[in-house]
Amino acid sequence: MSSPFGGPARTAPGLPNLPTPPTGWPVGSYATYEEAQRAVDHLADSDFPVRDVTIVGVDLMLVERVIGRLTWSRVLISGAASGAWFGLFVGLLLGMFGGEGVGYAPILVGLLSGVLFGLVFAAISYASTRGRRDFSSASQLVAGRYDVLCQPRNAEQGRDLLAKLAMRSPGSIS
């Protein structure tokens, strides 16, 4: 597994720590990440040295999908719910480490305090937008296409393996 947030302690040996443009020859190009992932999985299943392979998203776009309209009631209910979860967590911790046995008072106080603070912070946050953003959304980084690159020493073999995969499955670009 890899992470876009990998730092020096998380990178695999031999990989650069700083953002570096990818190197290698293109061995396949795909419309979706799932297709590119399937291609690399096929290479791995064929005992191909996948350490030489890189999936590169080209023509990046930030896509923001609108989930719904925000209203005061939705904002306050959401704030109360998130505050309740945090308050319940704090209350449980206080109840467990607060002394004699697990009492219900710290849990109840934590829950109610969490709901109250959640309501207040959600209201302040929503009021500060002054109606400029009355919707909720989810953002996602997507690419127009996904290229599979391979180091030159194995690129020809990789291209051949992916060509065989493309012949077996209609609809894939390679």
Coordinates of all heavy atoms in Angstrom, one line a residue, residues 60-114:
L60 N -5.0 16.1 -14.2 CA -5.7 16.1 -12.9 C -6.8 17.1 -12.8 O -6.7 18.2 -13.3 CB -4.7 16.3 -11.8 CG -3.6 15.2 -11.6 CD1 -2.7 15.5 -10.4 CD2 -4.3 13.8 -11.4
M61 N -7.9 16.7 -12.1 CA -9.0 17.6 -11.9 C -9.4 17.5 -10.4 O -9.4 16.4 -9.9 CB -10.2 17.2 -12.8 CG -10.0 17.2 -14.2 SD -11.4 16.5 -15.1 CE -10.9 14.8 -15.2
L62 N -9.8 18.6 -9.8 CA -10.5 18.5 -8.5 C -12.0 18.5 -8.8 O -12.5 19.5 -9.3 CB -10.0 19.7 -7.6 CG -10.7 19.7 -6.3 CD1 -10.3 18.5 -5.4 CD2 -10.3 21.0 -5.6
V63 N -12.6 17.5 -8.4 CA -14.1 17.3 -8.6 C -14.8 17.5 -7.3 O -14.5 16.8 -6.3 CB -14.4 16.0 -9.3 CG1 -15.9 15.8 -9.5 CG2 -13.7 15.8 -10.6
E64 N -15.7 18.5 -7.2 CA -16.5 18.7 -6.0 C -17.9 18.3 -6.3 O -18.6 19.0 -7.1 CB -16.4 20.1 -5.5 CG -17.1 20.4 -4.3 CD -16.9 21.9 -3.8 OE1 -16.4 22.7 -4.6 OE2 -17.2 22.1 -2.7
R65 N -18.4 17.2 -5.7 CA -19.7 16.8 -5.9 C -20.6 17.3 -4.7 O -20.3 17.1 -3.6 CB -19.8 15.2 -5.9 CG -19.1 14.7 -7.2 CD -19.2 13.2 -7.3 NE -18.8 12.8 -8.6 CZ -17.5 12.5 -8.9 NH1 -16.6 12.7 -8.0 NH2 -17.2 12.1 -10.1
V66 N -21.7 18.0 -5.1 CA -22.6 18.6 -4.2 C -23.4 17.4 -3.6 O -24.1 16.7 -4.3 CB -23.5 19.7 -4.8 CG1 -24.5 20.2 -3.8 CG2 -22.6 20.8 -5.3
I67 N -23.5 17.3 -2.3 CA -24.2 16.3 -1.6 C -25.6 16.7 -1.3 O -26.6 16.0 -1.4 CB -23.5 15.8 -0.3 CG1 -22.1 15.2 -0.7 CG2 -24.3 14.8 0.5 CD1 -21.2 15.0 0.5
G68 N -25.8 18.0 -0.8 CA -27.1 18.5 -0.5 C -27.0 19.9 0.0 O -26.0 20.5 0.1
R69 N -28.2 20.4 0.3 CA -28.4 21.8 0.7 C -28.2 21.8 2.2 O -28.7 21.0 3.0 CB -29.8 22.3 0.4 CG -30.0 23.7 0.6 CD -31.3 24.2 0.0 NE -31.5 25.6 0.2 CZ -32.0 26.1 1.3 NH1 -32.5 25.4 2.2 NH2 -32.1 27.5 1.4
L70 N -27.5 22.9 2.7 CA -27.4 23.1 4.2 C -28.5 24.0 4.7 O -28.8 25.0 4.1 CB -26.0 23.7 4.5 CG -24.8 22.8 4.5 CD1 -23.6 23.7 4.8 CD2 -25.0 21.7 5.4
T71 N -29.1 23.6 5.8 CA -30.1 24.4 6.4 C -29.6 24.5 7.9 O -28.8 23.7 8.4 CB -31.5 23.8 6.4 OG1 -31.4 22.5 7.0 CG2 -31.9 23.7 4.9
W72 N -30.2 25.4 8.6 CA -29.9 25.6 10.0 C -30.1 24.3 10.8 O -29.3 23.8 11.6 CB -30.6 26.7 10.7 CG -29.9 28.0 10.5 CD1 -30.2 29.0 9.7 CD2 -28.7 28.4 11.3 NE1 -29.3 30.1 9.9 CE2 -28.4 29.7 10.8 CE3 -28.0 27.8 12.2 CZ2 -27.3 30.4 11.3 CZ3 -26.8 28.5 12.7 CH2 -26.5 29.8 12.2
S73 N -31.3 23.6 10.5 CA -31.6 22.4 11.2 C -30.5 21.3 10.9 O -30.1 20.6 11.8 CB -33.0 21.9 10.9 OG -33.1 21.6 9.5
R74 N -30.1 21.1 9.7 CA -29.1 20.1 9.3 C -27.8 20.4 10.0 O -27.1 19.5 10.5 CB -28.9 20.0 7.8 CG -30.0 19.3 7.2 CD -29.7 19.0 5.7 NE -30.9 18.4 5.1 CZ -30.9 18.0 3.8 NH1 -29.8 18.1 3.1 NH2 -31.9 17.4 3.3
V75 N -27.4 21.7 10.0 CA -26.1 22.1 10.6 C -26.1 21.8 12.1 O -25.2 21.3 12.6 CB -25.8 23.6 10.3 CG1 -24.7 24.1 11.2 CG2 -25.5 23.8 8.8
L76 N -27.2 22.2 12.8 CA -27.3 22.0 14.2 C -27.4 20.5 14.6 O -26.8 20.1 15.6 CB -28.5 22.8 14.8 CG -28.4 24.3 14.7 CD1 -29.6 25.0 15.2 CD2 -27.1 24.8 15.4
I77 N -28.1 19.7 13.8 CA -28.2 18.3 14.1 C -26.8 17.6 13.9 O -26.4 16.8 14.7 CB -29.3 17.6 13.2 CG1 -30.7 18.0 13.7 CG2 -29.1 16.1 13.2 CD1 -31.8 17.7 12.7
S78 N -26.2 18.0 12.8 CA -24.8 17.5 12.6 C -23.8 17.9 13.7 O -23.0 17.1 14.2 CB -24.3 17.9 11.2 OG -23.0 17.6 11.0
G79 N -23.9 19.1 14.1 CA -23.0 19.6 15.2 C -23.3 18.9 16.5 O -22.4 18.5 17.2
A80 N -24.6 18.7 16.8 CA -24.9 18.0 18.0 C -24.5 16.6 18.0 O -24.0 16.0 19.0 CB -26.5 18.1 18.2
A81 N -24.6 15.9 16.8 CA -24.2 14.5 16.7 C -22.7 14.4 16.8 O -22.2 13.5 17.6 CB -24.7 13.9 15.4
S82 N -21.9 15.2 16.2 CA -20.5 15.1 16.3 C -20.0 15.5 17.7 O -19.1 14.8 18.2 CB -19.8 15.9 15.2 OG -20.0 17.3 15.4
G83 N -20.6 16.5 18.3 CA -20.3 16.8 19.7 C -20.7 15.7 20.6 O -19.9 15.4 21.6
A84 N -21.8 15.0 20.4 CA -22.2 13.9 21.2 C -21.2 12.8 21.2 O -20.8 12.2 22.3 CB -23.6 13.4 20.8
W85 N -20.7 12.4 20.0 CA -19.7 11.4 19.9 C -18.4 11.7 20.7 O -17.8 10.9 21.4 CB -19.3 11.1 18.5 CG -20.3 10.2 17.8 CD1 -21.1 10.5 16.8 CD2 -20.6 8.8 18.1 NE1 -21.9 9.5 16.4 CE2 -21.6 8.4 17.2 CE3 -20.1 7.9 19.1 CZ2 -22.1 7.1 17.3 CZ3 -20.6 6.6 19.1 CH2 -21.6 6.2 18.2
F86 N -18.0 13.0 20.5 CA -16.7 13.4 21.2 C -17.0 13.5 22.7 O -16.2 13.0 23.5 CB -16.3 14.8 20.7 CG -15.0 15.2 21.3 CD1 -13.8 14.6 21.0 CD2 -15.0 16.2 22.3 CE1 -12.6 14.9 21.6 CE2 -13.8 16.6 22.9 CZ -12.6 16.0 22.5
G87 N -18.1 14.0 23.1 CA -18.5 14.0 24.6 C -18.6 12.7 25.2 O -18.2 12.4 26.3
L88 N -19.2 11.7 24.4 CA -19.3 10.4 24.9 C -17.9 9.7 25.1 O -17.7 9.1 26.1 CB -20.1 9.5 23.9 CG -20.4 8.1 24.3 CD1 -21.2 8.0 25.6 CD2 -21.1 7.4 23.2
F89 N -17.0 10.0 24.2 CA -15.7 9.5 24.3 C -15.0 10.1 25.5 O -14.4 9.3 26.3 CB -14.9 9.8 23.0 CG -13.4 9.5 23.1 CD1 -13.0 8.2 23.1 CD2 -12.5 10.5 23.2 CE1 -11.6 7.9 23.2 CE2 -11.1 10.2 23.3 CZ -10.7 8.9 23.2
V90 N -15.1 11.4 25.7 CA -14.4 12.0 26.9 C -15.1 11.5 28.2 O -14.4 11.2 29.2 CB -14.5 13.5 26.8 CG1 -14.1 14.2 28.1 CG2 -13.7 14.0 25.6
G91 N -16.4 11.4 28.2 CA -17.1 10.9 29.3 C -16.7 9.5 29.7 O -16.6 9.1 30.9
L92 N -16.6 8.6 28.7 CA -16.1 7.2 29.0 C -14.7 7.2 29.5 O -14.4 6.4 30.5 CB -16.2 6.4 27.7 CG -17.6 6.0 27.2 CD1 -17.5 5.4 25.8 CD2 -18.1 5.0 28.2
L93 N -13.8 8.0 29.0 CA -12.5 8.1 29.6 C -12.5 8.6 31.0 O -11.8 8.0 31.9 CB -11.6 9.0 28.7 CG -11.1 8.5 27.4 CD1 -10.3 9.6 26.6 CD2 -10.3 7.2 27.5
L94 N -13.3 9.6 31.3 CA -13.3 10.1 32.7 C -14.0 9.1 33.6 O -13.5 8.9 34.7 CB -14.2 11.4 32.7 CG -13.5 12.6 32.1 CD1 -14.5 13.8 32.1 CD2 -12.3 13.0 32.9
G95 N -15.0 8.3 33.1 CA -15.6 7.3 33.9 C -14.7 6.2 34.2 O -14.7 5.6 35.3
M96 N -13.8 5.8 33.2 CA -12.9 4.7 33.4 C -11.7 5.0 34.3 O -11.3 4.2 35.1 CB -12.4 4.2 32.0 CG -13.5 3.4 31.3 SD -13.0 2.7 29.7 CE -11.4 3.3 29.3
F97 N -11.2 6.2 34.2 CA -10.0 6.6 34.9 C -10.3 7.6 36.0 O -9.4 8.1 36.6 CB -9.0 7.2 33.9 CG -8.6 6.2 32.9 CD1 -8.9 6.5 31.5 CD2 -7.9 5.1 33.2 CE1 -8.5 5.6 30.5 CE2 -7.5 4.2 32.2 CZ -7.8 4.5 30.8
G98 N -11.5 7.8 36.3 CA -11.9 8.8 37.3 C -12.0 8.3 38.8 O -12.3 9.0 39.6
G99 N -11.6 7.1 39.0 CA -11.7 6.6 40.4 C -12.4 5.4 40.6 O -12.2 4.4 39.9
E100 N -13.4 5.4 41.5 CA -14.1 4.2 41.9 C -15.1 3.7 40.8 O -16.2 4.3 40.6 CB -14.9 4.5 43.2 CG -14.1 5.1 44.2 CD -15.0 5.7 45.3 OE1 -16.2 5.4 45.3 OE2 -14.5 6.4 46.2
G101 N -14.8 2.6 40.2 CA -15.7 2.0 39.2 C -16.1 2.9 38.1 O -15.7 4.0 38.0
V102 N -16.9 2.4 37.2 CA -17.4 3.1 36.1 C -18.7 3.8 36.5 O -19.8 3.1 36.6 CB -17.6 2.2 34.8 CG1 -18.2 3.0 33.7 CG2 -16.3 1.5 34.4
G103 N -18.7 5.1 36.6 CA -19.9 5.8 37.0 C -20.6 6.3 35.8 O -20.0 6.6 34.7
Y104 N -21.9 6.5 35.9 CA -22.6 7.1 34.7 C -22.6 8.6 34.7 O -22.9 9.2 33.6 CB -24.1 6.5 34.7 CG -24.1 5.1 34.5 CD1 -24.5 4.2 35.5 CD2 -23.8 4.6 33.2 CE1 -24.5 2.8 35.2 CE2 -23.9 3.2 33.0 CZ -24.2 2.3 34.0 OH -24.2 1.0 33.7
A105 N -22.3 9.2 35.8 CA -22.4 10.7 35.8 C -21.3 11.3 34.9 O -21.7 12.2 34.1 CB -22.1 11.2 37.2
P106 N -20.1 10.8 34.8 CA -19.1 11.4 33.9 C -19.5 11.2 32.4 O -19.3 12.1 31.6 CB -17.8 10.7 34.2 CG -18.0 10.2 35.6 CD -19.4 9.9 35.7
I107 N -20.1 10.1 32.2 CA -20.5 9.8 30.8 C -21.6 10.7 30.4 O -21.6 11.3 29.3 CB -20.9 8.3 30.7 CG1 -19.7 7.4 30.9 CG2 -21.5 8.0 29.3 CD1 -20.1 5.9 31.0
L108 N -22.6 10.9 31.3 CA -23.7 11.8 31.0 C -23.3 13.2 30.9 O -23.7 13.9 29.9 CB -24.8 11.6 32.1 CG -26.1 12.4 31.8 CD1 -26.8 11.8 30.5 CD2 -27.1 12.2 33.0
V109 N -22.4 13.7 31.8 CA -21.9 15.0 31.7 C -21.1 15.3 30.4 O -21.3 16.3 29.7 CB -21.0 15.4 32.9 CG1 -20.3 16.7 32.7 CG2 -21.9 15.4 34.2
G110 N -20.3 14.3 30.1 CA -19.5 14.4 28.8 C -20.4 14.4 27.6 O -20.2 15.2 26.7
L111 N -21.4 13.6 27.6 CA -22.3 13.6 26.4 C -23.1 14.9 26.3 O -23.1 15.5 25.2 CB -23.3 12.4 26.6 CG -24.3 12.2 25.5 CD1 -23.6 11.7 24.2 CD2 -25.3 11.1 25.9
L112 N -23.6 15.4 27.4 CA -24.4 16.6 27.3 C -23.5 17.8 27.0 O -23.9 18.7 26.2 CB -25.1 16.9 28.6 CG -26.2 15.9 28.9 CD1 -26.8 16.2 30.3 CD2 -27.3 15.9 27.9
S113 N -22.3 17.9 27.6 CA -21.3 18.9 27.2 C -20.9 18.9 25.8 O -20.8 19.9 25.1 CB -20.1 18.8 28.1 OG -20.4 18.9 29.5
G114 N -20.7 17.7 25.3 CA -20.3 17.5 23.9 C -21.4 18.0 22.9 O -21.2 18.7 21.9

